[in-house]
């Protein structure tokens, strides 16, 4: 890599991550003002964890993220396996990855209109269903990337030796694609925890269906405080850890492939 490329890469990373670093540093600021440093303190993290609204929003976000991740991972993995064994279709590919391309606000309005048409009540369950729709495409993309190098002759040998379809999937296919499935689940979990627009449009009224990003938005309208910086730092830390783990798993070597 040339010196110019290293400089360009450094400037790009600084542009992307310097604001995040500043936010994280200010979350440990002792001062009540978010931009005036007066000493190191973890006071705001203590206040954050003692806030009942934050606790409720964090619980709601975990419920939505965990349930939607489980459902979208199962459906997305099944979709990836089915698509890889079928004849290529440009129309099917476009429809399958449309939720990744469509702007979030358009998808949110469409889901809200669909719920209204069906007279479907709004709450955590409606957010979960909306996040499943949003996450399936990402799960499918991650699992399909691993299936591109999958040796399908292993499953054929298993069937020839008398194993059924379920036994072949359980003992051959699933163990081989498990790292990519876990990576896809971590990605789906991260996207669900961070997602705001779709949750905002498909949530019900009241704190019982308020997620953490929605609570951050409600608090930030009155100004940025160190408490909000602390909350954002925790959310970003969880997201970075999950994405880093997903990347490591998806790049890992799978025996037999």
């Amino acid at each position: 890599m040339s010196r110019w490329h290293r400089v360009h890469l450094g400037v790009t990373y600084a542009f992307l991550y310097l604001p995040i670093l500043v936010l994280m540093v200010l979350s440990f600021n002792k001062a009540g003002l978010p931009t005036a440093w007066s000493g190191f303190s973890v006071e705001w993290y203590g206040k954050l964890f003692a806030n009942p609204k934050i606790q409720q929003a964090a619980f709601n976000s975990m419920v939505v993220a965990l349930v939607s991740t489980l459902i979208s991972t199962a459906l997305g993995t099944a979709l990836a396996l089915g698509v890889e064994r079928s004849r290529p279709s440009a129309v099917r590919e476009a429809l399958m990855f449309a939720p990744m391309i469509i702007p979030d606000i358009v998808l949110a309005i469409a889901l809200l209109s669909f719920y209204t048409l069906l007279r479907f009540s709004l709450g955590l369950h409606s957010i979960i269903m909306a996040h499943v729709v949003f996450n399936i495409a990402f799960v499918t993309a991650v699992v399909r990337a691993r299936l591109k190098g999958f040796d399908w002759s292993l499953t054929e040998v298993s069937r020839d030796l008398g194993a059924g379809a379920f036994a072949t999937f359980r003992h051959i296919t699933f163990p081989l694609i498990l790292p990519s499935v876990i990576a896809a689940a971590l990605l789906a979990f991260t996207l669900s925890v961070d997602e705001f627009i779709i949750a905002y449009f498909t949530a019900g009224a009241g704190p019982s269906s308020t997620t953490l990003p929605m609570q951050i938005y409600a608090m930030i309208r009155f100004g940025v405080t160190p408490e909000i910086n602390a909350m954002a730092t925790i959310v970003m830390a969880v997201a970075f850890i999950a994405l880093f783990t997903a990347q490591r798993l998806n790049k890992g070597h799978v025996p037999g492939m």
Side-chain angles (χ1 to χ4, degrees):
M1 182 182 293
S2 67
R3 184 177 180 180
W4 164 250
H5 286 154
R6 287 195 295 268
V7 172
H8 180 269
L9 186 62
V11 172
T12 301
Y13 279 141
F15 179 77
L16 290 174
Y17 296 110
L18 189 58
I20 296 176
L21 180 61
V22 171
L23 182 148
M24 295 174 69
V25 170
L26 289 176
S27 70
F28 297 99
N29 185 14
K30 186 177 181 180
L33 297 176
T35 56
W37 181 265
S38 64
F40 181 86
S41 174
V42 294
E43 172 187 357
W44 301 105
Y45 286 88
K47 291 185 177 181
L48 181 68
F49 291 125
N51 189 323
K53 292 184 178 180
I54 297 298
Q55 293 176 4
Q56 180 65 50
F59 175 78
N60 292 342
S61 285
M62 288 300 102
V63 170
V64 170
L66 289 173
V67 177
S68 64
T69 294
L70 289 174
I71 298 174
S72 60
T73 300
L75 295 178
T77 300
L79 180 59
L81 289 168
V83 169
E84 281 299 309
R85 299 306 302 270
S86 60
R87 183 176 301 177
S89 170
V91 175
R92 184 179 59 226
E93 294 282 334
L95 292 175
M96 185 167 51
F97 294 114
M100 297 173 63
I101 302 171
I102 297 174
D104 287 358
I105 191 165
V106 175
L107 183 59
I109 294 173
L111 288 168
L112 178 59
S113 299
F114 182 70
Y115 289 156
T116 303
L117 180 65
L118 297 180
R119 296 182 180 178
F120 191 72
S121 61
L122 300 180
L124 284 185
H125 55 285
S126 58
I127 301 176
I128 289 172
M129 293 176 62
H131 280 194
V132 169
V133 173
F134 177 71
N135 283 331
I136 284 179
F138 291 94
V139 173
T140 303
V142 173
V143 176
R144 285 188 69 190
R146 180 51 62 92
L147 289 175
K148 293 297 182 181
F150 190 84
D151 186 1
W152 293 103
S153 64
L154 296 174
T155 61
E156 295 172 1
V157 170
S158 177
R159 298 297 296 273
D160 290 341
L161 293 175
F166 179 75
T168 298
F169 173 78
R170 179 183 176 185
H171 297 290
I172 303 296
T173 307
F174 187 69
L176 292 177
I177 67 172
L178 182 58
S180 64
V181 173
I182 297 175
L186 289 172
L187 177 60
F189 178 83
T190 303
L191 292 172
S192 183
V193 169
D194 293 344
E195 204 284 319
F196 167 74
I197 297 178
I198 295 176
Y200 184 80
F201 275 77
T202 58
S208 61
S209 59
T210 299
T211 62
L212 201 53
M214 293 168 61
Q215 183 62 37
I216 294 175
Y217 173 75
M219 294 172 63
I220 206 172
R221 287 184 298 174
F222 301 100
V224 179
T225 65
E227 189 176 5
I228 294 177
N229 290 338
M231 190 193 319
T233 299
I234 294 173
V235 172
M236 286 188 295
V238 172
F240 276 127
I241 292 172
L243 286 174
F244 177 77
T245 305
Q247 185 182 37
R248 296 289 295 179
L249 286 170
N250 208 33
K251 287 185 177 181
H253 175 68
V254 180
M257 292 183 64

